[in-house]
Amino acid sequence: MKEIKCTAQTRRSFCTQAATFALLGGTAAAAFSGCGGPTAPSDVPSLPSVSATRTSGVTALAIDTGSPLATVGSAARVVTSGGTFLVARTGQEVFVALAAICTHETCAITGFRSQTYVCPCHGSTFDLNGRVLGGPAPSPLRQYATQFTGGVLTITG
Ligand code: FES
């Protein structure tokens, strides 16, 4: 019998095949039992999404009372033609913008619970400044410069 060395590549390949198996009628538990590593909690709420315009590397988003970012402590995914940001409002005039791509295996981060971003793929968690709180993500999320003037948030980068 041929021995297969377990690498990230073979594990990904296995998981892809297992997902196909599950779609074809196998049970999810049977299909994913060999994927290994932590799994994401299934009860994490999803962030709201808002669209914003992006021109020459600058994203602009009007924040009014109907915005998901209207109150301090809120967070949202800001979707632009050039990519998506995780944005948290940490003060009346203060916002923190992060790359929304997980540093583990590049999944889009969509979960948010208790002021913590949660990756849906393997459960990595990040604080509002992008620091890793729990792996397997190996490094923090990239942070972008923000400015809030006249009710308009700009994200540069
Ligand atoms: Fe694996 Fe985010 S891609 S934890």
Side-chain angles (χ1 to χ4, degrees), residues 16-28 31-32:
T16 300
Q17 290 173 14
T20 302
F21 169 75
L23 287 173
L24 294 176
T27 66
F32 291 101

Side-chain angles (χ1 to χ4, degrees), residues 83-109:
T84 299
F85 300 96
L86 303 174
V87 176
R89 187 168 195 164
T90 58
Q92 198 57 42
E93 309 277 321
V94 183
F95 293 80
V96 179
L98 306 169
I101 302 299
C102 184
T103 55
H104 178 223
E105 291 183 357
T106 68
C107 284
I109 297 170

Side-chain angles (χ1 to χ4, degrees), residues 50 61-71 74 89 95 148 150-153:
V50 292
L61 174 66
I63 311 269
D64 58 21
T65 55
S67 168
L69 291 167
T71 59
S74 61
R89 187 168 195 164
F95 293 80
F148 187 58
V152 176
L153 172 67

Side-chain angles (χ1 to χ4, degrees), residues 22-139:
L23 287 173
L24 294 176
T27 66
F32 291 101
S33 62
C35 290
T39 57
S42 60
D43 60 342
V44 177
S46 293
L47 285 160
S49 288
V50 292
S51 296
T53 56
R54 182 175 167 90
T55 306
S56 301
V58 178
T59 297
L61 174 66
I63 311 269
D64 58 21
T65 55
S67 168
L69 291 167
T71 59
V72 174
S74 61
R77 287 169 49 86
V78 175
V79 181
T80 77
S81 58
T84 299
F85 300 96
L86 303 174
V87 176
R89 187 168 195 164
T90 58
Q92 198 57 42
E93 309 277 321
V94 183
F95 293 80
V96 179
L98 306 169
I101 302 299
C102 184
T103 55
H104 178 223
E105 291 183 357
T106 68
C107 284
I109 297 170
T110 56
F112 188 68
R113 180 170 61 191
S114 303
Q115 300 295 294
T116 300
Y117 296 111
V118 182
C119 180
C121 290
H122 312 100
S124 287
T125 52
F126 304 87
D127 71 11
L128 297 182
N129 290 307
R131 289 182 290 251
V132 178
L133 297 175
S139 54

